[in-house]
Amino acid sequence: MEKNPAILSVEASIIDLPTIRPHKLSMATMMKQTMVIIKITSTDGIIGWGESTTIGGMTYGPESPESMKLTVDQYISPLLIGKDATNINVLMHEINRNVKGNTFTKAGIETALLDSQGKRLGVSVAELFGGSINSKLPVLWTLASGNTEKDIEEAKHLIKINRHDTFKLKIGSNEPKKDVVHVVAIKKALGENIRITVDINQAWNEYTAKIWIKVLQDNGIDLIEQPIIKTNFDGLARLTEYFHVPIMADEAVATTEDAMKLCKIRGGSVFAIKIMKTGGLYNAAKIAGMAEASDIGLYGGTMLEGTIGSVASAHIFSTFTNLSWGTELFGPMLLTDDIVTNPMVFKDCKLELPKGPGLGIEVDEDKLNHYKRK
């Protein structure tokens, strides 16, 4: 009987890719995107690629690019070398048993394992999960210059060329009244047919949220994302019940355990799923199942990953039955260069799932080495 291929090497590289403009969030302003690219090579010659990406160093969460590389090199790689490359469940179980937390790192590793197995079997990652329901996913754009007129001008241009018809605004770094005036002005300028979502990035307390969500709701804003601190689950449930504008849990719904608690108390009428938060595609699928059973809508979130992470997310999101709020997988469009030879296709307000085995993308290793942190 032929022996299954074994894992030969697990490499983690930190790369810094330039962005088209500064990207302003409530907790940081990004001037570039830093990602950890995972390369897993097996004895059958197959190479799988994954990506672990966070925002703003450690301002978003406890993992940084440097800590992710260290975790792969020192803790995860020794667990994988020499093991059966085809049994992803066993490999991830072993990692979860020996490495606590570190969901961003685990997402990149799991993606590389899935990419390898898809290539090995000649099927896409989506097919490993039963197949895509939609091969084209709606994708919004974040207006993050912080300047009202500039944001309106940018949005109108993107609407005119039919690249986006839904926009997200990141607020929370200013005094609430100033932020809300900014949002309302943009909504009025773009009109009622253009969907506007607001991400407060946990910046408000529950009292402030009650005052200002009312104003946003009255002015036709379509979705309110994570207005309060992620640990206030009951507060999210109270806001969900209090307003008719949908409240979305983002940072609050990271793990499967978070999702279970929020489903029980209806802490949010929409969940933002991000494979970095969940620790990979398998857990993302589990949370999607819980949300569906609880009549909670889904939104395909991003950590502004590059092409590898965005494509991995797109594969699993394409299998969801209740992706009623589309996706925000625009990360690659923020970059001035890429490390893949076949970039994602964004057309008519949607992204197209790449065809081909595994993730369906090819990495340009010369470009990877060019942008690799020395």
Side-chain angles (χ1 to χ4, degrees):
M1 187 175 168
E2 195 175 322
K3 196 176 176 185
N4 283 341
I7 293 173
L8 268 178
S9 63
V10 182
E11 301 169 54
S13 304
I14 298 176
I15 70 162
D16 296 298
L17 285 177
T19 53
I20 57 172
R21 57 161 164 77
H23 192 74
K24 191 175 173 63
L25 312 166
S26 73
M27 79 285 285
T29 299
M30 285 173 49
M31 306 302 289
K32 63 183 178 187
Q33 183 55 301
T34 300
M35 39 192 94
V36 178
I37 303 300
I38 312 288
K39 178 184 180 183
I40 294 182
T41 308
S42 301
T43 54
D44 55 0
I46 286 176
I47 294 172
W49 296 94
E51 178 186 337
S52 298
T53 293
T54 186
I55 292 173
M58 293 186 80
T59 52
Y60 183 87
E63 290 178 85
S64 67
E66 297 78 13
S67 74
M68 289 190 272
K69 176 170 167 50
L70 177 74
T71 302
V72 173
D73 292 346
Q74 296 295 320
Y75 297 98
I76 293 178
S77 180
L79 295 172
L80 297 182
I81 302 296
K83 300 285 172 57
D84 178 357
T86 68
N87 196 327
I88 300 169
N89 281 338
V90 166
L91 295 171
M92 292 309 298
H93 177 67
E94 187 70 4
I95 290 170
N96 287 323
R97 207 164 58 85
N98 288 280
V99 180
K100 304 305 176 198
N102 289 278
T103 60
F104 286 59
T105 311
K106 289 172 180 175
I109 292 287
E110 189 192 87
T111 298
L113 293 169
L114 286 163
D115 184 35
S116 297
Q117 187 66 349
K119 289 170 177 171
R120 201 169 276 124
L121 300 175
V123 299
S124 71
V125 167
E127 286 174 280
L128 293 175
F129 286 88
S132 298
I133 290 169
N134 294 301
S135 61
K136 294 181 181 179
L137 303 176
V139 60
L140 59 68
W141 181 252
T142 294
L143 301 168
S145 74
N147 179 290
T148 306
E149 290 310 312
K150 214 181 257 186
D151 282 352
I152 291 169
E153 191 182 326
E154 184 179 359
K156 283 184 172 177
H157 170 69
L158 294 172
I159 293 163
K160 187 178 179 183
I161 64 172
N162 199 31
R163 206 182 82 177
H164 299 282
D165 58 10
T166 302
F167 298 92
K168 177 194 260 195
L169 290 158
K170 297 271 193 181
I171 63 171
S173 58
N174 299 311
E175 187 263 325
K177 184 177 181 180
K178 184 180 178 184
D179 274 340
V180 169
V181 166
H182 170 68
V183 170
V184 169
I186 291 170
K187 176 66 179 177
K188 281 184 177 163
L190 300 184
E192 60 181 30
N193 293 329
I194 298 300
R195 190 185 263 184
I196 299 287
T197 77
V198 172
D199 184 3
I200 298 143
N201 276 127
Q202 313 179 66
W204 293 346
N205 61 36
E206 197 175 334
Y207 171 75
T208 303
K210 273 203 168 177
I211 294 169
W212 292 105
I213 291 173
K214 172 79 165 62
V215 181
L216 292 168
Q217 177 176 272
D218 291 348
N219 281 276
I221 301 306
D222 298 275
L223 180 67
I224 311 292
E225 180 176 350
Q226 199 64 53
I228 57 175
I229 190 76
K230 64 182 180 181
T231 48
N232 188 0
F233 282 21
D234 291 330
L236 269 181
R238 285 188 288 269
L239 293 174
T240 302
E241 188 176 4
Y242 192 78
F243 294 107
H244 63 73
V245 62
I247 306 293
M248 179 159 73
D250 177 13
E251 285 84 4
V253 61
T255 64
T256 51
E257 292 82 4
D258 292 336
M260 178 64 81
K261 290 173 191 169
L262 289 169
C263 285
K264 281 181 178 176
I265 62 170
R266 199 161 185 80
S269 43
V270 183
F271 284 173
I273 296 192
K274 298 175 182 173
I275 64 171
M276 296 295 143
K277 289 188 306 177
T278 63
L281 284 70
Y282 285 107
N283 283 338
K286 288 175 186 175
I287 291 173
M290 292 183 212
E292 184 178 5
S294 307
D295 193 26
I296 290 171
L298 291 179
Y299 173 83
T302 184
M303 289 304 302
L304 300 178
E305 295 98 333
T307 299
I308 297 171
S310 298
V311 166
S313 299
H315 275 284
I316 194 62
F317 296 164
S318 77
T319 69
F320 295 169
T321 57
N322 53 336
L323 195 69
S324 47
W325 289 89
T327 79
E328 57 177 19
L329 297 177
F330 61 84
M333 287 194 278
L334 274 179
L335 305 172
T336 60
D337 203 356
D338 211 334
I339 58 165
V340 301
T341 58
N342 53 333
M344 293 173 77
V345 176
F346 294 91
K347 190 179 174 187
D348 300 332
C349 308
K350 291 182 169 67
L351 65 88
E352 297 179 8
L353 205 62
K355 293 178 171 63
L359 294 173
I361 54 173
E362 294 295 328
V363 172
D364 183 334
E365 295 205 50
D366 289 336
K367 279 277 185 76
L368 176 68
N369 289 325
H370 174 72
Y371 287 109
K372 191 174 176 177
R373 196 180 287 180
K374 305 297 186 285

